[in-house]
């Protein structure tokens, strides 16, 4: 009984993750652009924090 429940949960989890994948080419492009934007923002944030640390050390 427990094994059946585990198999059912695994199957449900796999089916659930399939639907979260981008469907069409437009959705894939939006996802790619979103990831790229997130990466750029992270780089900018890192640079800004480094500059702030440098400034605070200089004073």
């Amino acid at each position: 009984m427990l094994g059946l429940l585990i198999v059912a949960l695994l199957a449900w989890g796999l089916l659930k993750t399939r639907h979260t994948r981008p469907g069409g080419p437009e959705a894939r492009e939006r996802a790619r652009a979103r990831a790229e934007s997130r990466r750029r923002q992270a780089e900018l944030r890192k640079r800004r924090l480094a500059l702030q640390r440098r400034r605070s050390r200089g004073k």
Side-chain angles (χ1 to χ4, degrees):
M1 191 70 185
L2 183 62
L4 185 63
L5 180 67
I6 290 173
V7 168
L9 284 173
L10 282 173
W12 179 75
L14 286 173
L15 289 173
K16 190 82 170 149
T17 56
R18 287 262 164 78
H19 290 295
T20 59
R21 295 186 70 215
E26 298 92 2
R28 275 196 294 275
E29 177 58 31
R30 279 196 307 274
R32 189 198 61 73
R34 193 168 44 244
E36 178 69 24
S37 172
R38 215 176 281 143
R39 186 184 64 76
R40 264 197 320 270
Q41 290 298 321
E43 287 175 1
L44 286 171
R45 194 176 310 116
K46 198 156 85 171
R47 192 177 310 151
R48 199 175 329 127
L49 288 172
L51 283 171
Q52 283 178 355
R53 276 195 296 269
R54 203 176 305 154
R55 275 197 214 121
S56 66
R57 254 187 271 143
K59 286 183 179 179

